[in-house]
Amino acid sequence: MTLLNNPQTRRRRLGVGAAAAGLLAALLTAAPAGATPDPGDSPAAPKSVSKSDAAGTKKAIQRGDIPAPDEIVHSGNIEHLANIPKDALPGLNTDIAFQGKYAFAGNYDGFRIYDISNPKAPRTVSQVLCPGSQNDVSVAGNLLFLSTDSSRSDNSCNSTTQPATEKSSWEGMKIFDISDKANPRYVSAVETACGSHTHTLVPQKRNVYIYVSSYSPSATFPDCRPPHDGISVIKVPRKAPQKAAVVNFPVLFPGEGPDGGGNPGGPTNPGVSKTTGCHDLTVLPSEDLAAGACMGDGILFSIKDPENPRVIDQVQDNANFAFWHSATFNQKADKVVFTDELGGGSAATCNAATGPDRGANGIYDIKGKGDKRKLVFRSYFKIPRHQADTENCVAHNGSLIPVRGKDLMVQAWYQGGVSVWDFTDSRKPKEIGYFERGPLTTDQITTGGSWSAYYYNGRVYSNDIQKGLDVLKINDKRTDPAQRVRMRELNVQTQPDYFD
């Protein structure tokens, strides 16, 4: 692990670093030249578009239908307070977690800790170089958890890429001590089957359970073979995180044969992802519920016994959902919003050709009680603003805006920007605000835009893949009551009871 000190806080130079070897880290003095991100974790190069699509994008800009490259536009009720560009970590920015006055932002090359006590002027506290996409991040007390879903030579932050076909390769969860925010310390690591694309915390008094989502097994991968039809459950003792270990691998899609019992995908269901694991889970501990977005399936399950989550209902949408990506409960736990990441986040799907029902959110009511609860589809929601054919755009990560009696949400849409929308009437969702930039380019698709947009203590924080951290304020009577709700800690995939 290399600690990259922020130029603004450390006299504009790289100074003290830390190297992690094995499970324990020691602080060392490291030369800046050693802080080199691993190109093996980088996404594919930008994809050129057809001449007609490039010309169409330029004409749309000239007509004013879409903003010009890097131009910022927003609705009248959104205020752009600040932007903090990427610095020592050049990789793609990813997810965000919060604790007190701090925001923890993932990046393909590691993570960055911000002091957000002044939302108009966030300040970088530390940057940690620890390559291993996607570096999904969450926090609990003095612990930070980081997902690694790319095959590495070992579990340290000094590892390099290595083929998953090699038995010695490593993927899984890394754990850091963040009691000193300026000097995070690598504590331990836990290998999990097929790595950790995302993870979700289920906090208890003495332990923190981690539900690890991963997918895409192969018969050629020694540690990731089909059927991969469940999730890894890690138990982390709060006072002894070095003893963290996998305690269960519950099968969520039981079925005979090598492929398990999830959605078979194509050719049975053309255009739909075959279910070989889960992409993301959201838990609602106050209701002992979880919702899983699992490639070709959406699931609802009980987490009364956190080591043994149990499926209550399973649904599919083989007409319009290509890849079940993430889930969000409403506060009353009688609705779930599932997202469809059509095109994997790297395609232009917010256009007229794709339409309003694909690459969208699916809103489901939860009907019934106990183990008889069912997910009942109500409607789709997609941003109403068409994006260019050079902009990757699709439904992505978002969170509730805590207002009693209302179901309001802020959500990232990659280059579609940030959307504020209302699904109080689950049959008639509507957008009530937005923020976005123009396309990164007009002749190719370059991965960019808002990865995660979350509401925390009166402000919206958006981790833009290329542009850095944006801070927004919503000035709207419909969302104003949320400014009175204050959280001490927020991992969006561990949904709190905001009004307890």
Side-chain angles (χ1 to χ4, degrees):
M1 181 184 79
T2 300
L3 185 67
L4 304 172
N5 295 310
N6 179 256
Q8 295 178 350
T9 60
R10 299 285 181 147
R11 299 176 59 186
R12 304 191 66 80
R13 66 183 179 86
L14 294 176
V16 178
L23 298 183
L24 297 177
L27 292 177
L28 303 172
T29 300
T36 304
D38 189 337
D41 289 314
S42 300
K47 296 179 293 185
S48 297
V49 298
S50 67
K51 291 182 179 180
S52 61
D53 283 345
T57 298
K58 293 176 181 178
K59 289 180 180 179
I61 293 171
Q62 292 171 355
R63 292 194 303 267
D65 294 341
I66 63 172
D70 289 339
E71 179 186 359
I72 291 176
V73 296
H74 53 82
S75 55
N77 57 355
I78 300 293
E79 183 180 353
H80 189 203
L81 299 181
N83 171 262
I84 307 299
K86 288 194 292 188
D87 185 15
L89 302 175
L92 305 187
N93 283 333
T94 59
D95 213 2
I96 322 172
F98 304 91
Q99 186 181 87
K101 66 176 185 178
Y102 298 102
F104 305 81
N107 178 287
Y108 269 53
D109 292 323
F111 63 92
R112 189 172 180 178
I113 302 178
Y114 297 94
D115 181 334
I116 55 172
S117 53
N118 180 358
K120 292 184 178 181
R123 178 177 62 85
T124 299
V125 176
S126 59
Q127 301 183 71
V128 174
L129 178 67
C130 192
S133 61
Q134 301 179 137
N135 280 337
D136 193 40
V137 64
S138 59
V139 293
N142 287 329
L143 300 178
L144 179 145
F145 305 94
L146 202 66
S147 283
T148 300
D149 193 35
S150 58
S151 187
R152 313 295 301 176
S153 57
D154 57 52
N155 62 14
S156 77
C157 287
N158 295 323
S159 66
T160 57
T161 55
Q162 182 169 290
T165 52
E166 295 188 22
K167 177 62 179 173
S168 63
S169 295
W170 185 91
E171 299 179 61
M173 292 297 309
K174 298 186 180 84
I175 304 173
F176 293 79
D177 183 319
I178 54 168
S179 52
D180 181 354
K181 304 297 187 294
N183 294 282
R185 182 173 60 87
Y186 188 153
V187 175
S188 63
V190 180
E191 186 171 15
T192 55
C194 300
S196 175
H197 193 72
T198 65
H199 68 270
T200 303
L201 304 187
V202 185
Q204 306 284 303
K205 289 184 178 180
R206 295 184 177 180
N207 305 300
V208 177
Y209 288 96
I210 308 176
Y211 291 167
V212 176
S213 297
S214 55
Y215 54 96
S216 295
S218 169
T220 65
F221 298 163
D223 300 318
C224 180
R225 288 177 173 160
H228 182 68
D229 47 14
I231 59 173
S232 296
V233 180
I234 297 174
K235 182 179 180 180
V236 184
R238 287 182 184 269
K239 294 185 178 181
Q242 70 276 9
K243 295 182 179 180
V246 175
V247 294
N248 196 11
F249 186 85
V251 174
L252 305 180
F253 305 99
E256 297 181 0
D259 297 325
N263 197 317
T268 304
N269 298 316
V272 177
S273 294
K274 176 182 177 180
T275 298
T276 58
C278 291
H279 179 276
D280 209 344
L281 280 73
T282 293
V283 298
L284 190 58
S286 61
E287 300 291 336
D288 290 327
L289 282 177
C294 302
M295 304 182 72
D297 296 85
I299 59 175
L300 180 71
F301 52 93
S302 167
I303 58 169
K304 286 184 178 180
D305 179 354
E307 287 192 18
N308 297 281
R310 182 171 46 83
V311 175
I312 296 174
D313 194 24
Q314 175 181 349
V315 292
Q316 297 177 357
D317 179 350
N318 295 317
N320 288 312
F321 259 48
F323 187 92
W324 296 66
H325 176 275
S326 53
T328 303
F329 288 99
N330 70 334
Q331 183 61 42
K332 291 183 178 179
D334 59 7
K335 298 173 189 172
V336 181
V337 175
F338 288 102
T339 66
D340 171 27
E341 195 183 40
L342 174 68
S346 61
T349 68
C350 296
N351 50 26
T354 304
D357 297 340
R358 302 181 68 238
N361 296 319
I363 304 167
Y364 286 73
D365 286 350
I366 301 175
K367 295 294 185 180
K369 296 182 179 180
D371 288 352
K372 294 184 179 180
R373 282 173 286 194
K374 297 291 183 182
L375 292 165
V376 180
F377 174 76
R378 290 306 186 207
S379 66
Y380 298 107
F381 170 77
K382 192 171 184 179
I383 55 173
R385 293 160 285 107
H386 285 161
Q387 305 296 304
D389 290 329
T390 61
E391 292 180 281
N392 63 302
C393 176
V394 75
H396 214 235
N397 296 343
S399 75
L400 288 184
I401 301 173
V403 175
R404 287 185 184 273
K406 297 290 185 181
D407 295 325
L408 306 176
M409 189 170 172
V410 59
Q411 186 177 3
W413 289 78
Y414 288 116
Q415 287 195 65
V418 176
S419 176
V420 180
W421 61 290
D422 183 334
F423 63 104
T424 306
D425 183 343
S426 56
R427 297 179 187 271
K428 296 180 180 179
K430 59 183 179 181
E431 184 175 77
I432 61 175
Y434 69 90
F435 168 90
E436 68 167 291
R437 290 180 171 86
L440 288 170
T441 56
T442 58
D443 58 356
Q444 60 186 9
I445 297 180
T446 302
T447 300
S450 179
W451 180 289
S452 297
Y454 298 145
Y455 189 94
Y456 177 70
N457 291 354
R459 301 294 183 266
V460 173
Y461 297 88
S462 167
N463 209 18
D464 188 287
I465 293 169
Q466 302 290 356
K467 300 298 182 181
L469 183 74
D470 286 306
V471 186
L472 311 175
K473 182 181 179 183
I474 310 172
N475 299 300
D476 193 297
K477 64 181 181 181
R478 291 165 289 191
T479 62
D480 284 348
Q483 296 186 35
R484 296 191 292 269
V485 179
R486 287 292 183 266
M487 307 299 298
R488 289 190 293 270
E489 188 172 275
L490 179 64
N491 300 293
V492 168
Q493 287 73 34
T494 305
Q495 283 192 224
D497 182 344
Y498 286 100
F499 307 114
D500 183 5

